[in-house]
Amino acid sequence: MNIYVLLLCVSLLLDNLAIHKVFCGEVLELQEVEVDNYGDATIDGSSRNDVYEEDNYEDESSLETSILDKSQSDTSSVLVTFANRFNYPITLYWQGDSTSNEKFKIGDIEPNSEINVDTFIGHNFYATKLGSDEKVQTSKKITKSTSEYSFEPLEKMVTKNPFVTILNVRTTAMSAKFRCFVPSKVHIWYDNGQDGSFQGFLTLGKEYTINTYEGHVFYFTEGDDKTKEYARFVMNKDQVTYLVMDPERPPPNSYLVQQAKEDAFMAEYLNRTGIRWRHYFGPDGPRPPPSLHMWPANNIGEVHKVVSHEGKWICNGTSEECQSKDPVPINLEVVSLQPRVFIIPNFLSDFEVEEI
């Protein structure tokens, strides 16, 4: 039986068995990496649970460009190719240290053309439309396994995997945060065109994160009293946070100060990355970057080959009786760049599936 799992990383623990497979840390050993470049595209859609408490030197170089700064990377120098598969010219940038807003122009790439760059493992690059700050797709992180990185239209994205269908249209799914600045209990309603569908409630300073769709409408009332409506919002993919307020009863100033800090950070983050911040932002600022290893996803169809020394289980008993001693080869195929998604075939044994 082939079992396919969509995930960023997996930690599976079965209560009755000592099965623990981790694909983010050091349980997996890098064996080799194969790369199949079938295009490059971004798939919209994200759902994250958030809790509220919280570039200008330009190098006008030739097609052969050298990036000598090793601050972001190891010391492995590599020659890579960036391809422009759009029907318009783009500008390629090297993104400097992640703690700064520095960016360094590498050069312009004409439609259906390429540029070679001498750089280092771990460096990050992104592209914009020529003469614009509008980014095209996600940034590209240089890895040992990939020598060509392409910026390509969504409709050209291809994957061999028979379990994946490319819709060639962007989803209208989105996530939203409703944050309450009203000093009393507020009820949340989805406007279903009838009496409204109750979604939950909020109190001062709390927030509610929901997965929804563009165009859906939510409204907020004083408890069950629908005659007193504090806010009504139409969902917009370009807006993350929706503030519920009562003009007659403003929240404590500390809430407004914290909100202003978060708004400023979100604007800066969007300008720097082209992505809207949807995670935690507290009194000390945004949550730190992930600390666990994340497999790179530079191109659709890219495959990482790893091996786990934790064998599969075939029965309910001790590890000596029921756990295979053979290493488990695992292929992680990239099927989406944003959010980052892999498909892993033959991830579990038939017995493990039945136990779940």
Side-chain angles (χ1 to χ4, degrees):
M1 175 185 294
N2 279 352
I3 306 300
Y4 284 77
V5 182
L6 292 178
L7 73 170
L8 300 180
C9 58
V10 173
S11 177
L12 171 63
L13 180 62
L14 302 187
D15 292 337
N16 297 327
L17 299 172
I19 300 177
H20 192 199
K21 297 184 178 179
V22 179
F23 295 91
C24 299
E26 298 180 355
V27 174
L28 294 181
E29 172 186 273
L30 179 63
Q31 186 179 45
E32 62 175 311
V33 176
E34 291 183 356
V35 178
D36 298 320
N37 294 320
Y38 296 107
D40 220 10
T42 299
I43 298 178
D44 277 351
S46 60
S47 59
R48 303 177 176 89
N49 291 326
D50 306 312
V51 179
Y52 177 69
E53 293 202 25
E54 223 199 292
D55 279 315
N56 286 323
Y57 166 76
E58 292 190 352
D59 178 15
E60 298 291 350
S61 51
S62 65
L63 291 183
E64 295 288 341
T65 306
S66 178
I67 302 297
L68 300 179
D69 187 343
K70 303 178 184 179
S71 61
Q72 278 189 315
S73 63
D74 64 24
T75 58
S76 302
S77 175
V78 292
L79 180 65
V80 299
T81 299
F82 291 95
N84 176 16
R85 304 306 179 202
F86 289 99
N87 59 4
Y88 51 80
I90 63 175
T91 300
L92 180 69
Y93 291 91
W94 170 52
Q95 187 171 323
D97 192 303
S98 59
T99 61
S100 71
N101 293 327
E102 292 182 310
K103 64 178 181 182
F104 301 86
K105 180 179 177 181
I106 304 304
D108 299 330
I109 312 177
E110 294 299 316
N112 297 312
S113 299
E114 300 174 346
I115 185 173
N116 295 322
V117 178
D118 187 13
T119 184
F120 294 89
I121 303 299
H123 275 190
N124 288 283
F125 294 82
Y126 69 91
T128 65
K129 290 184 177 180
L130 183 65
S132 168
D133 291 331
E134 181 182 348
K135 294 184 178 180
V136 294
Q137 299 180 358
T138 57
S139 60
K140 311 293 182 183
K141 184 173 184 178
I142 304 304
T143 67
K144 294 180 180 179
S145 62
T146 306
S147 60
E148 180 173 330
Y149 302 82
S150 60
F151 297 95
E152 194 160 270
L154 178 63
E155 61 268 17
K156 291 187 177 181
M157 182 175 60
V158 178
T159 176
K160 285 182 176 180
N161 199 296
F163 290 87
V164 178
T165 300
I166 304 302
L167 300 178
N168 290 333
V169 292
R170 295 189 180 276
T171 178
T172 60
M174 57 171 285
S175 64
K177 296 185 201 177
F178 303 137
R179 185 167 296 155
C180 182
F181 281 171
V182 177
S184 57
K185 182 179 286 189
V186 172
H187 283 200
I188 308 168
W189 304 87
Y190 164 61
D191 188 348
N192 59 3
Q194 300 176 10
D195 294 330
S197 174
F198 179 69
Q199 302 294 302
F201 65 88
L202 285 169
T203 56
L204 180 64
K206 302 301 181 180
E207 74 176 31
Y208 183 91
T209 301
I210 192 169
N211 296 319
T212 183
Y213 294 89
E214 291 181 65
H216 279 194
V217 177
F218 293 85
Y219 59 96
F220 304 80
T221 63
E222 175 74 24
D224 285 325
D225 184 4
K226 294 183 181 179
T227 64
K228 190 168 185 179
E229 189 174 301
Y230 289 116
R232 178 178 289 261
F233 301 118
V234 179
M235 297 297 97
N236 180 349
K237 66 180 179 60
D238 293 326
Q239 183 174 352
V240 175
T241 307
Y242 298 80
L243 302 180
V244 182
M245 303 183 70
D246 181 358
E248 299 178 357
R249 295 181 296 166
N253 190 60
S254 59
Y255 287 90
L256 300 177
V257 171
Q258 175 67 13
Q259 184 64 47
K261 290 180 181 179
E262 183 172 353
D263 291 343
F265 168 78
M266 291 175 68
E268 183 278 329
Y269 185 83
L270 176 62
N271 182 64
R272 173 162 49 90
T273 67
I275 301 171
R276 298 186 185 278
W277 179 264
R278 300 178 183 275
H279 288 288
Y280 172 80
F281 188 95
D284 297 325
R287 50 152 263 196
S291 58
L292 296 175
H293 171 69
M294 298 292 287
W295 287 98
N298 290 302
N299 299 298
I300 301 298
E302 181 179 10
V303 177
H304 302 289
K305 287 193 172 184
V306 296
V307 60
S308 171
H309 298 291
E310 295 293 327
K312 293 182 178 179
W313 289 74
I314 59 174
C315 61
N316 193 350
T318 66
S319 59
E320 291 296 322
E321 298 171 331
C322 297
Q323 187 176 21
S324 170
K325 303 300 185 295
D326 298 327
V328 180
I330 298 171
N331 293 343
L332 296 90
E333 180 188 349
V334 178
V335 295
S336 170
L337 303 184
Q338 185 185 1
R340 190 179 311 188
V341 179
F342 301 91
I343 281 188
I344 304 178
N346 300 311
F347 174 62
L348 300 173
S349 69
D350 290 350
F351 172 75
E352 289 170 338
V353 173
E354 294 300 323
E355 283 294 301
I356 293 176

